[in-house]
Amino acid sequence: MKTLAGLIKGVWNDKQGRLGLIIVTLLALVALFAPLIAPYDPYDVNQRADKGLSPSLSHLLGTSLTTGQDIFSMLIYGTRVSLTVGVITGIAIALLGSVLGICAGYIGGVCDMLLMRIVDVMIVIPTLPLTILITNVFGKSYVVIVTVFVLFGWSGLARTVRSQVLKLKSCDYVKAAELSGASKRYIMFRHILPAVSNLVVMSTALTCAGVMIAEAGLSFLGLGNPTAVSWGKMLADAQSGGSMLFGQWWTILAPGIGIFISVFAFMRIGLAMESVLNPAMKGRSGLGRLMRKMRRGELDKVLAEMEEPE
Amino acid sequence: MKTAYVVKRIISTLVVFVIVVTLCFFIPRIGVDDPCARYYPAQGNMSDSDYEVIKEITRKQYGLDGSAWSQYGRYLKGLLHGDLGTSYRAGSPKVWALITDRLPWTLVLSVSSMVLCLFFGIIIGTRCAMKRGRWQDKALMNASTITTAIPAFFIALLLTYILGFELEIFPAYTDQNLVSSFEWSLAGIGAVAYNAALPVLSTLIGGVIGNAQSIRNSVISVTGESFIVTAKAKGVTERGILYKHVLRNALLPVVTGLGMSLSGLIGGSVVIEQIFNWHGMGTLYLEANNQNDYPLMMGIMIFISGFALVANLVTDLCYSLLDPRVTLGEVSR
């Protein structure tokens, strides 16, 4: 088993994973220092220029057709919404999904049955229409969106964790802990949770990516916070403002590329973690991978992994 | 197939359905004392007694009289007769009529997209599996991470811009007379296909590559099985192995996945329909959302969930016919 630091190091050694890590760090910096980087404040009504300006030195990507905000600044501020919604939802889902998955898997019985029935229901309910309905009832805000994503998004992770826990349950060290009189809670948090934590971290990266796409879609439909600057809303404004009619393709390309890059980076990290944790899953030939690892002097690690009971 | 298994599956499906209906019924009622007052807000120039009379009429009309539980009971009873309630729109159309009006148009998009995805996905996926590790395979792997990171609606916007506005090959927006002027003739079907081209294409790009990737993985995992080695040892030709042994087994999980994705056929394309202003369920749902038409929203949600449940049930039962171990609980999927 790997520690979190070991996992990140593994991702860093993966070429694609490193790309993902670098991009996410850059995006986080951009989001954090948005007011310093952006030449204009898109939230400030006084800093609006003429509508639909073409790119120039004073407005790198021109201005929006509907409001006259500087698109480059909006792009930078949009990072904040996308990253916060994605990361907060991802972490909350990771916590909820792993706790519920461990409970279902380890305690079993009624608890397991109840949770799995809830999961059955959640899989059936269409997520996007449900989110739309709930934003209609509770108002359009990112708090509502994140809550809905978390409450209805943990089922996938809980299922994966549960099946993993069922396997771990019959492991010798868990049995030994049980026999020596450890409480269920102790076993769950001291033995089972660390064993599934890597799986959870990996799926969190992929969840973040998925949530960011979903958030963009909702903002595009006009269901996010109407006053916030987000990439999805920029796309919607560009489309409804007729930017395509006027041939202003950059107003569509810029936020789209923003969404793409951030989602891509999180996916890359997730996939790199997957191949670090579960080398057999990697699509390429096993021998080639072994050779590469040998070159990096990681063979010992690989062998250690092989000896571990799955 | 064991009868006990079938009965168990059907009962659990029904239970899930009732829970879904309950959720859909009560979510719009959260924090609302009087749904009727929300439908018909008090007007300034109206006396209280007049307002009460109007509310009473509205309650009768939309089944909002009595306690929430008795409304719920009536809703369930109506559901048994296939009645999904009455929409708040002008003319009070039945929800069921609105849905059946839109359903075929959504299915045109989603079914054609699914069929094309599967067709091209199988071709590309098998080819890449055969060329495992070569550039074709690597290209597919890279393409699949890239296309999953691009939201379909962004692809749709780009295609609208390039093919719709710049090159003017396909219409950027659906022809508004498409639905009213539709007739079952070659020209009519051609017009639908012409208008559906862009929406289908924009879901196709991600779909084909995603499908191809999963088919590739499935083909590769089957190729490693010992019965393939046996077939090779018997002297079966490469083509024979591919079609008779590999594909047959590799497509099984794909078919299961297909059953799961059937549920996305109706609700999956809300954003795409919105972009192209397509006369489908997605735009119907968004219209309902804009008009606060809760019965219609509930009806659509219940319809989609019911469809998904039936699709999952049928897939499960078909699967247990194909693979009897499922009924015995030996295979966990």
Side-chain angles (χ1 to χ4, degrees), chain A residues 4-298:
Chain A
L4 188 63
L7 188 63
I8 290 174
K9 206 178 144 213
V11 173
W12 183 256
N13 284 334
D14 183 296
K15 208 167 40 174
Q16 302 283 1
R18 187 181 303 184
L19 183 68
L21 279 180
I22 292 174
I23 296 177
V24 168
T25 318
L26 282 179
L27 285 174
L29 288 175
V30 167
L32 205 59
F33 298 110
L36 298 178
I37 302 168
Y40 301 90
D41 182 359
Y43 288 99
D44 189 350
V45 188
N46 298 324
Q47 292 190 21
R48 291 184 183 175
D50 289 341
K51 292 171 186 173
L53 290 178
S54 294
S56 63
L57 273 181
S58 56
H59 295 281
L60 283 178
L61 286 168
T63 56
S64 77
L65 272 161
T66 43
T67 51
Q69 286 155 294
D70 180 52
I71 289 178
F72 182 66
S73 310
M74 287 171 91
L75 194 64
I76 286 170
Y77 272 82
T79 326
R80 291 186 155 182
V81 169
S82 208
L83 276 190
T84 1
V85 170
V87 171
I88 291 180
T89 314
I91 291 175
I93 287 181
L95 292 177
L96 198 63
S98 52
V99 169
L100 292 178
I102 290 174
C103 287
Y106 189 71
I107 300 176
V110 183
C111 176
D112 184 29
M113 204 200 71
L114 209 65
L115 280 171
M116 286 303 111
R117 287 294 84 76
I118 296 177
V119 168
D120 282 348
V121 173
M122 284 179 162
I123 286 172
V124 167
I125 294 190
T127 325
L128 182 59
L130 180 81
T131 322
I132 296 175
L133 179 65
I134 293 183
T135 50
N136 185 312
V137 175
F138 289 99
K140 296 170 181 175
S141 82
Y142 285 110
V143 179
V144 173
I145 288 183
V146 169
T147 318
V148 177
F149 280 163
V150 173
L151 285 182
F152 290 86
W154 55 267
S155 53
L157 178 62
R159 251 156 70 126
T160 332
V161 169
R162 174 180 171 270
S163 64
Q164 194 70 26
V165 172
L166 287 181
K167 277 184 207 154
L168 288 169
K169 219 171 152 179
S170 52
C171 277
D172 289 341
Y173 72 96
V174 176
K175 287 241 154 71
E178 269 167 9
L179 286 176
S180 57
S183 73
K184 280 198 165 175
R185 222 176 74 194
Y186 182 84
I187 294 177
M188 282 197 305
F189 286 99
R190 289 305 291 269
H191 293 296
I192 308 253
L193 185 64
V196 295
S197 61
N198 284 331
L199 182 83
V200 173
V201 171
M202 179 201 93
S203 97
T204 305
L206 295 176
T207 317
C208 288
V211 167
M212 280 154 76
I213 285 198
E215 181 274 318
L218 284 174
S219 301
F220 181 77
L221 290 175
L223 298 164
N225 182 350
T227 55
V229 173
S230 77
W231 290 333
K233 196 164 162 292
M234 285 170 75
L235 280 174
D237 288 347
Q239 196 217 5
S240 64
S243 63
M244 293 193 269
L245 207 60
F246 300 119
Q248 298 195 334
W249 47 268
W250 54 88
T251 55
I252 288 174
L253 209 57
I257 288 179
I259 298 171
F260 166 70
I261 287 182
S262 45
V263 174
F264 182 76
F266 274 98
M267 271 180 52
R268 272 303 178 199
I269 295 179
L271 293 177
M273 281 179 182
E274 193 173 14
S275 67
V276 170
L277 294 177
N278 195 354
M281 284 292 287
K282 212 165 173 184
R284 291 170 200 136
S285 73
L287 193 64
R289 201 177 52 247
L290 201 62
M291 297 296 276
R292 266 209 313 282
K293 289 219 165 187
M294 271 167 78
R295 248 182 279 133
R296 288 197 212 117
E298 286 183 357

Side-chain angles (χ1 to χ4, degrees), chain A residues 16 117 120-138 140 152 159 213-218 220-221 223 231-232 235-236 239-240 242-250 252-257 259-261 263-265 267-268 271 282-286, chain B residues 12 15-16 19-20 23-24 27-30 32 38 132-133 137-138 141-142 144-154 157-158 160-161 165-166 173 216-217 220 260 263 267-268 270-271 274-276 285-286 288-290 292-294 297-298 300-301 304-306 308-309 312 333:
Chain A
Q16 302 283 1
R117 287 294 84 76
D120 282 348
V121 173
M122 284 179 162
I123 286 172
V124 167
I125 294 190
T127 325
L128 182 59
L130 180 81
T131 322
I132 296 175
L133 179 65
I134 293 183
T135 50
N136 185 312
V137 175
F138 289 99
K140 296 170 181 175
F152 290 86
R159 251 156 70 126
I213 285 198
E215 181 274 318
L218 284 174
F220 181 77
L221 290 175
L223 298 164
W231 290 333
L235 280 174
Q239 196 217 5
S240 64
S243 63
M244 293 193 269
L245 207 60
F246 300 119
Q248 298 195 334
W249 47 268
W250 54 88
I252 288 174
L253 209 57
I257 288 179
I259 298 171
F260 166 70
I261 287 182
V263 174
F264 182 76
M267 271 180 52
R268 272 303 178 199
L271 293 177
K282 212 165 173 184
R284 291 170 200 136
S285 73
Chain B
S12 75
V15 170
V16 171
I19 297 174
V20 169
L23 277 178
C24 291
I27 287 176
R29 282 178 169 71
I30 296 173
V32 179
R38 190 174 50 179
R132 186 179 178 186
D137 190 24
K138 281 179 186 149
M141 196 178 293
N142 289 327
S144 80
T145 36
I146 289 175
T147 48
T148 2
I150 306 179
F153 66 88
F154 178 54
L157 288 176
L158 283 184
T160 314
Y161 180 72
F165 281 103
E166 291 297 301
Y173 297 105
R216 170 212 173 264
N217 292 344
I220 282 182
M260 291 284 167
S263 51
V270 178
V271 192
Q274 152 86 1
I275 290 176
F276 294 99
Y285 193 79
L286 290 173
N289 177 45
N290 290 336
N292 290 337
D293 190 346
Y294 296 104
M297 293 180 91
M298 275 155 57
I300 295 175
M301 294 258 298
I304 297 176
S305 319
L309 275 169
N312 288 354
R333 279 180 300 123

